[in-house]
Amino acid sequence: MQDYLEKLNPEQREAVEHITGPLMVIAGAGSGKTRVLTYRIIHLINNNVSPFSILALTFTNKAAKEMRNRIDSIVGKNISRDLWMGTFHSIFSRILRMEAHKLNYPTNFTIYDTDDAKSLIRSIIKELNLDKDIYKVSIIINRISALKNNFITHDQYSNHQELVQTDKIAKRTEFQRIYAMYSQRCLKASAMDFDDLLLNTYKLLNNFPDALLKYQSKFKYILIDEYQDTNHVQYLIIKKLAALHENICIVGDDAQSIYSFRGAKIQNILNFKSDYPDFKSYKLEQNYRSTNTIVETANSLIKHNENQIPKEVWTENEKGEKIILCKCGSDNDEGRLVANTIFEIKMQDQAYPKDFAILYRTNAQSRALEEALRKQNIPYKIYGGLSFYQRKEIKDILSYCRLTINPNDEEALKRVINYPGRGIGNTTMQKLLVTANENNISIWEVMNNLNNYKHNINNGTSKKLVEFVLLIRNYQAQLENKDAYFLAEHIAKSSGVFGDLYNDKSPEGVSRFENIQELLNGIKDFCENTEVNSLADYMKDVALLTNQDNEKQEDFNKVTLMTIHAAKGLEFPYVFVVGLEQNLFPSMMSGESQEDLEEERRLFYVAITRAEKRLFLSFATNRFKWGQYIDCEPSRFLSELNTQYISKTEIISKQKNKFYNNKKQVLKNKFEKKNNTFKLPPNLKKLSTVTKNIKHSDLSKIQNGMKVLHSKFGNGKILEISGDEANKKATIFFENVGQKQLLLKFAKLEII
């Protein structure tokens, strides 16, 4: 039973075997922190600690799932199922559903995602006839979120004159009114947004001493992953819950604190010793992920931060190849460079697309990379794009399900009441909304008792509203005796959504229909693999999922494109960090303070430490922004890297991609500025100047591996010859356009 302890290094083992009292584990990148957290939970259970009394908080569903699977394999599912383990939002929503009545919410409250919240804000701005250019939805929703995370409710807003003054200067004098209406409409709809899950948990523990004592007594041992990413509300909730027993274990890395923009406070981990003076601290400094070259490069960067907990990450892994740093002429050149390098590594190292990740500072950088990858026929997946659960057809079905569970859900009602078309238009909805607001009730209550209210809705439309109410009531009648799969399938078919999509035979329509089937498959899987299988249980589960929680099998073997923020916690054999330019990375906004600059440096540290075997860094001297090319300077962070681990180059080779084949080139020790211009590599010149007067070569002489010249595509290399003499085809990799298959008798190739 103690075999798991033998798998730990001395520092890991000490942290695992520490049972009572506050504990801080500083875990460097790739040092096995998940293993430590997992084995510590197992060790607690093996030392007669009830799993019911253990609370483990993570930031992602993926992390929680991985930990639970490891625990299952050692102590068994019968024991691990009793653990309170999950994300902050999932655990707190579970507590709130049990205590909802204390806060005037029903147990079946809806959780509004960002789209729902924005939709409601948009409606309120329209109702108040406000200028949408001044009252931008994204600004309003971010401001409300920030206020909630600092415990400033809509009725407390006016007490903070600096906030009032800021909004006055920005001409947002109606902000408080919007905030108040948003809060009231959420309450009326029995809905909480993600920030409410935290804020209301704090209110529960702060305002109801009996509830606080209940959960303090219950959670005798508390473990928190990625503690450096906690915000102020999370910090205060944890502090309250841990106050009785103080058996709190935090695991984190101050060097990977990168989420201040969403409220994370690095001070939470830096000040842990002040909160718990009797704490015990362990440092996990051995890296198991990366080569020595990558580890030392990361160390050389992060040492420039003043505000940090001192540590020296090291590894016993092989030295590894030098990090390639490349200067590119433009963002398009950079894209082609990355795509060509991936192609060559795949061919030479027999690597898979899933082994590669391309990381960037902002999502806007993906365009040039996508174009280059498509030309090379390299499959890729962008993270941070449209989540499976944010697709229209999925949200439509889930909105029907939400409405079935909570008919007061205003956003779900507005979404589906006229889809598929029922003749209930915007004018009718506006009349219902006005009536509901005048009587301080939900739209559903108005629809249920149309005859009791003045609404100016004609008899024909009233009949359609009654029919819709009866449809939803029919679904509600089956909530208790039908499982989630049966009811969801019934809703999809009887609502008309299924038929509407089935009849659309366009490629987009077929794709949407397949997505609905995929959703139903997921619901069926949920029913078969959980003890609770009602529609309400499924909706509680799905409300807190992210796009990474629903990866399809076909997405696994693709090159990953993502922001560095999204990449935290992940690892890949080959990593490309692109766009390393001033005002892009570090961001233009980071120059305002030392704290901001240090966070940008930590972000670069996170990017570097995602790599296992090879790391490629690149920047462009010109980048297309705001409709024009602008000159760029290399990032200041590049000069902070230890040069002994770096190979610097430009893309200057006509024959070979220097990013990968750096061993055959003369490396430059420093970058040369040439009047702020960059000379394009010969293989990227206009083809008209390169490919004149081509002599067509004898077909019989063409063989695999030969280099050829094409009048349109330029230089290429023969990868494969196939077919009989009359229809012989060649698969050719062209430096400019990627892989092509040409019929030789028409190809007009010259052997070079």
Side-chain angles (χ1 to χ4, degrees):
M1 196 59 157
Q2 301 292 314
D3 290 348
Y4 61 90
L5 294 175
E6 304 303 318
K7 300 176 182 178
L8 304 171
N9 67 35
E11 292 77 17
Q12 291 174 330
R13 182 160 181 166
E14 285 183 349
V16 165
E17 292 182 320
H18 179 103
I19 293 184
T20 58
L23 172 66
M24 178 169 72
V25 180
I26 300 300
S31 62
K33 67 175 179 64
T34 304
R35 170 174 286 192
V36 167
L37 266 178
T38 305
Y39 285 8
R40 189 167 189 276
I41 292 170
I42 293 166
H43 196 66
L44 288 172
I45 293 171
N46 287 341
N47 280 271
N48 301 316
V49 174
S50 169
F52 285 103
S53 65
I54 299 174
L55 171 65
L57 296 168
T58 67
F59 274 87
T60 66
N61 293 303
K62 183 181 178 184
K65 188 177 180 181
E66 287 177 0
M67 287 171 62
R68 190 175 289 278
N69 287 341
R70 288 194 196 182
I71 295 168
D72 286 349
S73 66
I74 296 177
V75 303
K77 285 188 178 181
N78 287 337
I79 295 174
S80 68
R81 73 176 58 170
D82 298 329
L83 290 166
W84 279 61
M85 179 185 291
T87 64
F88 283 86
H89 290 99
S90 66
I91 294 295
F92 293 169
S93 67
R94 183 177 171 185
I95 290 172
L96 288 171
R97 290 196 187 279
M98 292 189 291
E99 310 292 342
H101 61 281
K102 289 186 169 70
L103 300 169
N104 297 318
Y105 277 89
T107 57
N108 64 342
F109 64 81
T110 297
I111 298 174
Y112 276 178
D113 62 18
T114 304
D115 281 356
D116 295 320
K118 285 182 175 179
S119 175
L120 180 53
I121 293 290
R122 200 174 290 111
S123 297
I124 292 169
I125 291 169
K126 187 177 179 180
E127 290 167 33
L128 296 175
N129 292 314
L130 299 174
D131 188 336
K132 62 183 181 182
D133 291 327
I134 295 175
Y135 295 90
K136 292 182 177 179
V137 173
S138 57
I139 292 175
I140 299 297
I141 201 73
N142 288 336
R143 193 152 176 76
I144 289 174
S145 176
L147 291 176
K148 285 182 178 180
N149 284 319
N150 285 283
F151 306 106
I152 302 173
T153 58
H154 66 88
D155 53 345
Q156 296 169 334
Y157 168 85
S158 57
N159 298 330
H160 297 265
Q161 284 305 306
E162 70 281 6
L163 297 175
V164 175
Q165 192 61 27
T166 300
D167 284 320
K168 190 175 180 180
I169 294 170
K171 300 179 179 179
R172 293 193 296 264
T173 54
E174 293 292 319
F175 172 78
Q176 185 178 15
R177 193 176 175 192
I178 296 172
Y179 187 8
M181 287 181 67
Y182 175 78
S183 301
Q184 291 157 5
R185 292 275 277 278
C186 282
L187 185 61
K188 194 163 64 175
S190 302
M192 296 186 196
D193 61 25
F194 283 161
D195 295 311
D196 288 329
L197 295 177
L198 304 181
L199 182 60
N200 286 334
T201 301
Y202 179 79
K203 285 181 178 178
L204 174 73
L205 300 178
N206 194 58
N207 299 342
F208 298 91
D210 58 327
L212 175 61
L213 183 60
K214 173 183 175 181
Y215 292 103
Q216 282 180 335
S217 303
K218 176 175 178 55
F219 301 130
K220 294 181 175 66
Y221 293 87
I222 300 173
L223 302 93
I224 304 108
D225 191 17
E226 306 285 11
Y227 191 70
Q228 77 280 348
D229 294 335
T230 53
N231 62 25
H232 191 51
V233 184
Q234 290 164 330
Y235 163 78
L236 290 175
I237 293 170
I238 293 163
K239 201 163 186 295
K240 280 185 173 293
L241 288 174
L244 184 61
H245 300 287
E246 290 199 346
N247 292 325
I248 178 172
C249 169
I250 67 161
V251 179
D253 182 7
D254 58 294
Q256 298 186 66
S257 178
I258 59 173
Y259 294 119
S260 66
F261 67 93
R262 66 185 191 195
K265 304 283 187 185
I266 191 173
Q267 288 75 21
N268 292 348
I269 192 167
L270 296 176
N271 297 338
F272 185 81
K273 59 184 178 183
S274 303
D275 293 331
Y276 304 96
D278 298 328
F279 83 111
K280 186 72 175 175
S281 177
Y282 297 99
K283 292 181 182 178
L284 309 182
E285 296 173 305
Q286 184 176 358
N287 179 295
Y288 293 93
R289 175 186 300 157
S290 309
T291 64
N292 185 68
T293 294
I294 293 169
V295 169
E296 292 298 336
T297 301
N299 287 341
S300 71
L301 172 78
I302 203 64
K303 74 178 184 182
H304 290 85
N305 272 10
E306 294 178 8
N307 197 23
Q308 61 174 303
I309 298 171
K311 59 183 167 299
E312 190 67 28
V313 180
W314 59 278
T315 185
E316 291 180 345
N317 294 342
E318 64 178 0
K319 183 178 179 181
E321 297 189 52
K322 283 191 174 185
I323 292 159
I324 310 299
L325 173 57
C326 191
K327 176 181 179 179
C328 305
S330 69
D331 48 350
N332 289 328
D333 295 341
E334 185 179 51
R336 286 193 286 271
L337 182 69
V338 171
N340 290 345
T341 304
I342 291 174
F343 182 85
E344 289 200 14
I345 293 177
K346 279 176 61 189
M347 299 292 287
Q348 296 185 30
D349 292 3
Q350 299 300 301
Y352 297 98
K354 66 180 181 181
D355 296 332
F356 299 87
I358 307 170
L359 309 182
Y360 35 73
R361 182 64 181 82
T362 65
N363 279 308
Q365 293 169 251
S366 72
R367 178 199 57 80
L369 297 160
E370 288 185 74
E371 287 180 5
L373 291 168
R374 281 198 296 268
K375 286 177 180 177
Q376 292 277 33
N377 293 317
I378 297 173
Y380 66 90
K381 163 116 178 140
I382 294 182
Y383 287 89
L386 190 64
S387 162
F388 177 82
Y389 297 100
Q390 298 301 319
R391 293 171 180 166
K392 180 186 179 304
E393 61 276 11
I394 302 301
K395 290 213 72 169
D396 290 337
I397 294 293
L398 293 181
S399 291
Y400 271 107
C401 295
R402 280 167 47 178
L403 199 60
T404 300
I405 296 162
N406 173 21
N408 291 322
D409 186 339
E410 182 180 315
E411 290 307 304
L413 177 64
K414 289 192 298 188
R415 187 176 188 95
V416 301
I417 194 168
N418 201 40
Y419 178 72
R422 298 185 175 87
I424 304 172
N426 291 332
T427 304
T428 301
M429 284 304 301
Q430 194 59 36
K431 289 177 180 178
L432 289 170
L433 184 59
V434 168
T435 305
N437 290 339
E438 286 176 350
N439 293 275
N440 197 30
I441 56 176
S442 67
I443 297 175
W444 177 258
E445 289 178 81
V446 176
M447 291 170 59
N448 264 283
N449 301 280
L450 277 174
N451 296 329
N452 297 346
Y453 302 101
K454 294 179 180 179
H455 45 64
N456 297 320
I457 298 172
N458 62 50
N459 289 334
T461 305
S462 294
K463 186 179 177 182
K464 293 169 184 174
L465 290 171
V466 170
E467 288 173 355
F468 181 77
V469 168
L470 291 173
L471 179 71
I472 302 302
R473 283 181 177 172
N474 172 266
Y475 300 154
Q476 290 177 315
Q478 302 178 69
L479 273 171
E480 295 298 324
N481 55 12
K482 302 294 185 184
D483 67 25
Y485 175 72
F486 178 93
L487 190 49
E489 186 181 44
H490 175 60
I491 289 171
K493 291 178 178 178
S494 61
S495 65
V497 174
F498 215 69
D500 186 64
L501 294 177
Y502 180 79
N503 293 327
D504 183 355
K505 300 302 182 184
S506 68
E508 294 80 8
V510 172
S511 177
R512 286 193 289 268
F513 184 73
E514 289 173 348
N515 286 337
I516 293 293
Q517 291 178 312
E518 182 64 27
L519 174 68
L520 293 173
N521 290 339
I523 298 174
K524 190 172 185 179
D525 184 67
F526 172 84
C527 291
E528 291 175 350
N529 291 285
T530 56
E531 294 180 4
V532 287
N533 59 11
S534 71
L535 186 64
D537 292 314
Y538 173 75
M539 292 305 295
K540 289 176 191 174
D541 189 69
V542 80
L544 298 162
L545 290 182
T546 66
N547 49 334
Q548 288 191 35
D549 297 317
N550 196 68
E551 280 188 275
K552 297 180 181 179
Q553 191 62 42
E554 59 264 29
D555 289 335
F556 289 156
N557 197 25
K558 292 181 179 180
V559 174
T560 298
L561 277 70
M562 63 196 336
T563 65
I564 303 166
H565 283 101
K568 188 166 171 291
L570 304 178
E571 56 190 37
F572 304 88
Y574 306 93
V575 171
F576 298 80
V577 186
V578 300
L580 285 159
E581 299 134 31
Q582 282 296 114
N583 298 325
L584 180 57
F585 197 7
S587 163
M588 186 184 302
M589 304 299 290
S590 66
E592 297 181 5
S593 70
Q594 182 68 23
E595 289 78 12
D596 291 341
L597 183 62
E598 290 201 354
E599 174 146 337
E600 288 287 299
R601 188 177 285 112
R602 292 195 294 269
L603 188 62
F604 188 25
Y605 177 83
V606 167
I608 291 171
T609 55
R610 298 312 92 197
E612 297 173 349
K613 293 171 61 177
R614 300 289 309 274
L615 175 64
F616 305 88
L617 311 175
S618 61
F619 67 93
T621 57
N622 291 274
R623 185 169 293 275
F624 196 73
K625 285 185 179 179
W626 308 299
Q628 61 182 348
Y629 275 99
I630 63 168
D631 292 338
C632 304
E633 294 290 330
S635 169
R636 61 182 291 169
F637 296 149
L638 295 176
S639 64
E640 298 174 356
L641 303 177
N642 190 327
T643 56
Q644 76 176 88
Y645 303 111
I646 308 294
S647 288
K648 297 179 180 179
T649 183
E650 296 181 12
I651 42 173
I652 56 175
S653 173
K654 183 176 180 180
Q655 302 296 333
K656 199 72 174 174
N657 179 2
K658 295 298 185 187
F659 216 136
Y660 185 69
N661 196 36
N662 64 303
K663 295 178 182 178
K664 296 182 180 180
Q665 68 187 1
V666 178
L667 300 172
K668 299 185 179 183
N669 294 321
K670 60 182 180 179
F671 295 117
E672 303 168 2
K673 292 184 68 175
K674 301 176 183 178
N675 300 320
N676 288 324
T677 61
F678 184 80
K679 185 179 179 182
L680 283 176
N683 65 317
L684 295 176
K685 289 181 181 178
K686 291 183 179 178
L687 291 173
S688 59
T689 65
V690 178
T691 58
K692 288 180 180 179
N693 304 318
I694 287 180
K695 299 175 183 178
H696 305 149
S697 300
D698 186 354
L699 293 181
S700 63
K701 296 180 180 178
I702 291 180
Q703 299 175 8
N704 290 351
M706 278 187 171
K707 291 173 181 174
V708 294
L709 187 64
H710 187 271
S711 60
K712 181 179 179 182
F713 302 132
N715 292 325
K717 181 179 180 181
I718 304 289
L719 300 179
E720 186 182 6
I721 304 290
S722 60
D724 55 32
E725 283 301 319
N727 297 292
K728 189 174 286 187
K729 295 179 182 177
T731 302
I732 308 171
F733 173 71
F734 291 103
E735 294 174 356
N736 294 311
V737 296
Q739 190 170 307
K740 297 281 185 183
Q741 191 174 67
L742 304 178
L743 198 62
L744 283 180
K745 63 184 179 184
F746 300 124
K748 300 179 180 178
L749 296 171
E750 179 186 353
I751 299 171
I752 57 175

